[in-house]
Amino acid sequence: MTDASELETLVGDWLSIPELGDALGLTQRQARRLVDDKVVLAHRVGVNNAIAVPAAFVEEDHLLTGIEGTITVLLDARLSEQEALEWLFTPDPTLPVEGSPITMLQAHRKAEVRKRAAELAF
């Protein structure tokens, strides 16, 4: 597992809770609720150690299609939130689309990602 600063670099772009709310047209309270309810995963980043969500979880003005269900599968497979973030953003050369599982979700190919995430439970 990577340490916190390596995860911050692996993910790249992050959104603070206020930025997440702005991107989705939500209040800060509603954006924070997405984190609390594990609809999205968050991590403490930056010099202020502020809670932030990967920017890749947002697509235009809504959450990335398939991200909530994929997070549920990963957490059901008993991955920690940090491990789930690492899995989502780590490049995988065996994927049919070059990149990481998050790249597959961005390409709207969630079936393969969910299949692989479910296999982590076994």
Side-chain angles (χ1 to χ4, degrees), residues 65-81:
T65 303
I67 194 63
E68 182 178 0
T70 302
I71 289 170
T72 298
V73 172
L74 291 169
L75 297 179
D76 286 351
R78 301 198 190 286
L79 268 65
S80 68
E81 290 183 36

Side-chain angles (χ1 to χ4, degrees), residues 16-80:
S16 66
I17 296 300
E19 291 169 332
L20 177 64
D22 288 346
L24 299 176
L26 302 172
T27 65
Q28 285 187 38
R29 176 175 281 172
Q30 291 168 319
R32 178 59 195 222
R33 183 72 181 210
L34 293 176
V35 173
D36 293 343
D37 291 346
K38 307 276 188 273
V39 172
V40 294
L41 298 175
H43 187 68
R44 292 199 173 269
V45 299
V47 294
N48 294 333
N49 208 25
I51 295 173
V53 172
F57 287 178
V58 176
E59 181 176 59
E60 296 176 24
D61 61 350
H62 59 277
L63 287 178
L64 179 64
T65 303
I67 194 63
E68 182 178 0
T70 302
I71 289 170
T72 298
V73 172
L74 291 169
L75 297 179
D76 286 351
R78 301 198 190 286
L79 268 65
S80 68

